[in-house]
Amino acid sequence: MSIISNNYQAPIYKVNDLLNMKIFYRKPNLYNKTLELTKAYIRENDSNIPNETIYFQLSNILLKNIDEEKSMLLFESNDKELFEFFKSLDKCNITTLYNKRETWFEDEEDNDVLEFEDIVESYKKIYRNWDDESQTFIFKSFYNSNEVPIFNSFRTRLEFENLNENDDLCVIFEYIGIRFDEDDFFPLFLIKQIKLTEQRTLNFDDYQFNESDFDEEENDEDEENEQEQEQEETKEE
């Protein structure tokens, strides 16, 4: 599966794929002289051509909370590989921030260099620890308002208002990179598309009986009647 973007067909990975790939980062861009974001990219199979978009798909995750004010959704997952991916990504990001600290955090007015402990303290996880009792964990992701296509299992387009807590979802995410938020850093994931897993239900205001069952019952009765009649005729002879 893939997403076509600017005439390039970007792949949609599985979490297991990402666990085996190395993620690189561009130099952070600036907004009003403030660090805003360092864009992530990957190279597949030692290719010299970078893949600038990192999409991946998750299935069977529960929607736990909708925060429209922050444009954020909270999910629950029992995918241990996903949990390990988040942990591995955090280690990679913290190491990258530390190794790049002298070039990324240059400040003519401040000659102080961030220490490793400073980066660890300022780095914010997007997930909670694994719960051994429930065998799940909670994580969050952001979305751009009015830019997230939502479908049901029958590929019908839905409105955002159709989403409810505890809905079972399939979601395509994009890993954007490391976001700089004042004095904090965190990995930025955006929701690109949602599929709401729905069960087809019956409308019992309409007639729902299966007529074929009745036909089979009638045929069985006819056969029984014919057999009984044949037995009676045999006795009379």
Side-chain angles (χ1 to χ4, degrees):
M1 190 175 182
S2 60
I3 292 178
I4 298 177
S5 177
N6 297 328
N7 297 322
Y8 168 69
Q9 198 164 356
I12 299 178
Y13 298 106
K14 297 178 181 178
V15 172
N16 184 260
D17 298 327
L18 297 178
L19 277 169
N20 299 311
M21 293 181 182
K22 185 172 182 179
I23 296 177
F24 303 89
Y25 292 95
R26 302 291 182 195
K27 186 174 181 178
N29 56 5
L30 298 176
Y31 180 74
N32 290 335
K33 297 184 178 180
T34 303
L35 291 177
E36 185 179 37
L37 176 77
T38 173
K39 185 73 174 65
Y41 68 96
I42 55 178
R43 287 195 177 99
E44 295 185 65
N45 301 323
D46 297 325
S47 170
N48 290 324
I49 302 175
N51 185 348
E52 300 289 351
T53 53
I54 305 175
Y55 300 117
F56 65 99
Q57 178 175 315
L58 298 178
S59 302
N60 304 120
I61 57 177
L62 289 181
L63 177 61
K64 302 305 292 182
N65 183 259
I66 302 172
D67 190 334
E68 295 190 48
E69 184 178 344
K70 295 181 179 179
S71 296
M72 183 180 73
L73 299 183
L74 202 65
F75 301 101
E76 181 181 72
S77 173
N78 61 359
D79 189 340
K80 197 64 180 285
E81 281 191 340
L82 176 63
F83 181 75
E84 294 300 327
F85 166 65
F86 283 149
K87 285 174 48 179
S88 174
L89 181 66
D90 285 349
K91 291 179 181 178
C92 169
N93 289 350
I94 290 172
T95 300
T96 299
L97 289 167
Y98 179 74
N99 291 339
K100 300 286 188 179
R101 69 194 187 283
E102 293 186 7
T103 55
W104 284 6
F105 304 108
E106 289 179 321
D107 191 337
E108 296 178 358
E109 298 178 359
D110 187 356
N111 294 321
D112 292 338
V113 177
L114 284 175
E115 299 296 335
F116 186 79
E117 293 76 11
D118 299 327
I119 295 174
V120 171
E121 185 177 348
S122 299
Y123 188 88
K124 305 303 179 185
K125 299 190 301 183
I126 64 162
Y127 61 94
R128 299 175 190 167
N129 289 334
W130 182 266
D131 188 322
D132 289 328
E133 184 174 349
S134 65
Q135 289 295 294
T136 62
F137 75 104
I138 301 292
F139 70 98
K140 65 183 178 182
S141 183
F142 296 92
Y143 62 90
N144 290 324
S145 301
N146 302 319
E147 293 184 16
V148 181
I150 302 172
F151 300 88
N152 63 13
S153 299
F154 315 110
R155 302 190 179 185
T156 302
R157 190 73 176 256
L158 302 175
E159 299 297 327
F160 190 84
E161 291 71 23
N162 290 108
L163 293 179
N164 294 289
E165 292 183 8
N166 293 320
D167 279 343
D168 188 2
L169 306 177
C170 294
V171 182
I172 295 175
F173 297 89
E174 180 181 4
Y175 177 51
I176 303 297
I178 304 173
R179 178 90 163 110
F180 301 91
D181 186 10
E182 295 182 354
D183 296 327
D184 296 335
F185 323 108
F186 65 91
L188 177 61
F189 292 85
L190 287 182
I191 297 165
K192 305 302 290 185
Q193 194 172 96
I194 294 174
K195 182 177 79 171
L196 174 60
T197 304
E198 295 178 316
Q199 299 297 324
R200 188 184 293 274
T201 58
L202 296 177
N203 179 9
F204 288 103
D205 288 333
D206 296 330
Y207 189 86
Q208 297 293 348
F209 285 104
N210 190 338
E211 295 297 336
S212 62
D213 291 342
F214 295 134
D215 292 340
E216 289 178 3
E217 290 177 4
E218 290 176 0
N219 290 335
D220 291 341
E221 289 179 1
D222 290 341
E223 289 179 3
E224 290 179 3
N225 291 334
E226 288 178 3
Q227 290 177 356
E228 289 178 359
Q229 187 174 357
E230 289 177 358
Q231 290 175 357
E232 288 296 327
E233 290 176 355
T234 302
K235 286 181 181 180
E236 290 178 359
E237 292 177 356

